[in-house]
């Protein structure tokens, strides 16, 4: 991860006048299938580089899905299925008012008519190119020229590697513009979260949004330490709020969040050494749980971001250990 910050130089002007390349609809195709031991994974390069399935096959041939499977139906790039796992770039989650304030410029970051908001950036909405593939690993590339909604040219790579114990996702973002670019990365898995499942994690501090109408952290900071939440079929707290924002523990400098499924026979542990925030998201009544490692605080990208000079790269990793 880089550590440079803005220096007050002038922002670049948009270099193109056409709307961005985000399609209105994404259609799953033949996936890249990875296998190692009893584990299988599927990746959909044409659907935002999504990890569309992550499962274990038992001795009877039955599959246990850790992630909600994506399925085969076309979907809107603005209203995607709550399934699989996708990359977030060149920033994570949502910018306030869909606007970036950058060195004296105000940039409206969402593309119309393809998107109604800036949620999660563009990586999940576009087709990626396969640049390498084997029985247990694939590497995807996204080249994104400058456009009015994001006046920088960047290139991203996502590698997905499966082994007998779990899966690694490595995401990188490189600035190809002459001007410095603000940058942030995230990964967004939808784990199955049926009633009786339990998540345990530790954080330095936990932030909550004051209501479901406000989708970023409030100013109420609470020291947390170890936390445990048991699913009742969706939701995180009795206040009805679906989203928590956890700061990385200072002592370890890494996230470890573990989901144990009812019966104690299956578990999934998310680890990241590069993230400074972990977003936990589970709406009431929806049996999925998102554990999203991110490099910056949600809603504060104007001030909380990395700055990439020409040719500089930002990295984010996520390891999912499976039992």
């Amino acid at each position: 991860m880089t550590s440079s910050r803005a220096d007050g130089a002038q922002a670049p002007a948009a270099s193109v006048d056409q709307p961005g390349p985000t399609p209105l609809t994404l259609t799953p195709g033949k996936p890249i299938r990875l296998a190692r031991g009893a584990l299988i994974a599927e990746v959909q390069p044409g659907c935002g580089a999504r990890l569309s399935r992550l499962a274990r096959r038992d001795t009877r041939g039955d599959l246990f899905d850790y992630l909600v499977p994506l399925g085969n139906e076309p979907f809107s790039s603005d209203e995607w299925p709550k399934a699989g796992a996708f990359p977030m770039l060149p920033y994570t989650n949502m910018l306030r008012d869909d606007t970036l304030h950058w060195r004296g410029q105000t940039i409206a970051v969402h593309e119309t008519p393809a998107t109604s908001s800036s949620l999660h950036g563009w990586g999940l909405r576009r087709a990626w190119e396969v640049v390498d593939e084997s029985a247990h690993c694939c590497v995807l590339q996204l080249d994104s020229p400058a456009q009015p909604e994001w006046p920088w040219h960047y290139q991203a790579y996502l590698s997905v590697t499966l082994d007998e114990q779990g899966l690694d996702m490595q995401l990188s973002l490189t600035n190809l513009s002459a001007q410095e670019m603000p940058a942030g990365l995230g990964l967004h898995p939808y784990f199955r979260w049926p009633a009786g499942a339990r998540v345990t994690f530790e954080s330095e501090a936990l932030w909550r949004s004051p209501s479901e109408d406000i989708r970023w952290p409030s100013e109420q900071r609470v020291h947390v330490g170890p936390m445990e939440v048991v699913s009742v079929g969706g939701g995180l707290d009795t206040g009805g709020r679906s989203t928590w924002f956890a700061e990385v523990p200072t002592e370890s400098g890494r996230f470890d969040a573990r989901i144990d499924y009812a019966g104690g026979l299956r578990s999934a542990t998310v680890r990241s050494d590069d993230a400074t925030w972990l977003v936990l998201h589970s709406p009431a009544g929806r049996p999925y749980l998102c554990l999203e490692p991110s490099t910056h605080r949600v809603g504060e990208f104007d001030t909380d971001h990395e700055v990439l000079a020409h040719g500089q790269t930002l990295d984010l990793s996520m390891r999912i250990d499976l039992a």
Side-chain angles (χ1 to χ4, degrees), residues 4-320:
S4 54
R5 283 288 184 262
D7 60 9
Q10 291 296 312
S15 62
V16 291
D17 296 321
Q18 298 81 14
T22 297
L24 295 176
T25 303
L26 298 175
T27 302
K30 183 180 179 181
I32 296 174
R33 291 186 171 89
L34 310 177
R36 200 68 180 264
L39 298 179
I40 63 169
E42 296 182 353
V43 180
Q44 287 281 354
C47 291
R50 278 172 170 81
L51 177 64
S52 57
R53 189 165 205 177
L54 182 60
R56 179 183 297 275
R57 190 180 301 278
D58 65 21
T59 55
R60 297 178 300 178
D62 296 329
L63 287 175
F64 178 88
D65 282 292
Y66 295 92
L67 299 179
V68 179
L70 178 65
N72 300 313
E73 295 299 317
F75 57 90
S76 166
S77 59
D78 207 26
E79 291 291 338
W80 53 86
K82 305 303 185 280
F86 56 74
M88 297 184 285
L89 56 92
Y91 53 84
T92 77
N93 288 279
M94 182 176 286
L95 306 190
R96 292 180 185 266
D97 301 318
D98 296 318
T99 301
L100 171 63
H101 301 280
W102 173 257
R103 298 179 177 178
Q105 287 196 0
T106 300
I107 302 169
V109 296
H110 77 271
E111 293 181 53
T112 56
T115 63
S116 61
S117 79
S118 62
L119 185 62
H120 298 324
W122 294 285
L124 76 159
R125 294 176 164 96
R126 296 180 182 168
W128 293 51
E129 179 185 357
V130 181
V131 295
D132 195 15
E133 180 182 353
S134 70
H136 56 85
C137 178
C138 66
V139 180
L140 311 179
Q141 173 192 319
L142 175 68
D143 187 79
S144 184
Q147 61 188 74
E149 298 83 6
W150 194 262
W152 297 273
H153 181 191
Y154 63 84
Q155 191 171 75
Y157 285 89
L158 175 67
S159 69
V160 180
T161 304
L162 190 69
D163 58 46
E164 294 187 359
Q165 286 75 46
L167 178 134
D168 284 293
M169 298 182 76
Q170 303 281 340
L171 180 62
S172 69
L173 176 71
T174 301
N175 178 21
L176 299 183
S177 292
Q179 302 88 355
E180 291 182 328
M181 180 182 82
L185 293 175
L187 290 162
H188 195 307
Y190 290 91
F191 287 96
R192 291 177 58 245
W193 182 234
R198 181 177 74 254
V199 62
T200 53
F201 67 98
E202 185 169 342
S203 69
E204 186 66 23
L206 193 67
W207 299 62
R208 295 182 175 91
S209 55
S211 72
E212 284 299 275
D213 296 328
I214 300 177
R215 305 182 70 175
W216 37 74
S218 72
E219 295 304 315
Q220 297 177 357
R221 178 174 174 172
V222 180
H223 180 78
V224 178
M227 286 284 292
E228 178 179 294
V229 180
V230 177
S231 173
V232 292
L236 289 174
D237 61 34
T238 56
R241 288 168 293 194
S242 65
T243 308
W244 294 351
F245 309 89
E247 289 186 43
V248 65
T250 301
E251 185 173 344
S252 67
R254 63 179 287 178
F255 282 110
D256 275 287
R258 174 177 171 131
I259 301 174
D260 286 285
Y261 292 97
L265 299 178
R266 293 284 175 254
S267 67
T269 302
V270 174
R271 295 186 170 93
S272 179
D273 294 317
D274 309 307
T276 56
W277 290 86
L278 182 71
V279 180
L280 298 91
H281 175 67
S282 180
R286 301 289 297 274
Y288 64 80
L289 172 66
C290 303
L291 300 173
E292 310 164 32
S294 304
T295 63
H296 65 86
R297 183 184 175 193
V298 173
E300 299 297 331
F301 189 70
D302 285 350
T303 57
D304 183 14
H305 53 247
E306 304 295 335
V307 175
L308 302 182
H310 173 75
Q312 194 171 10
T313 298
L314 176 66
D315 298 296
L316 176 68
S317 64
M318 179 175 70
R319 168 72 184 178
I320 306 176

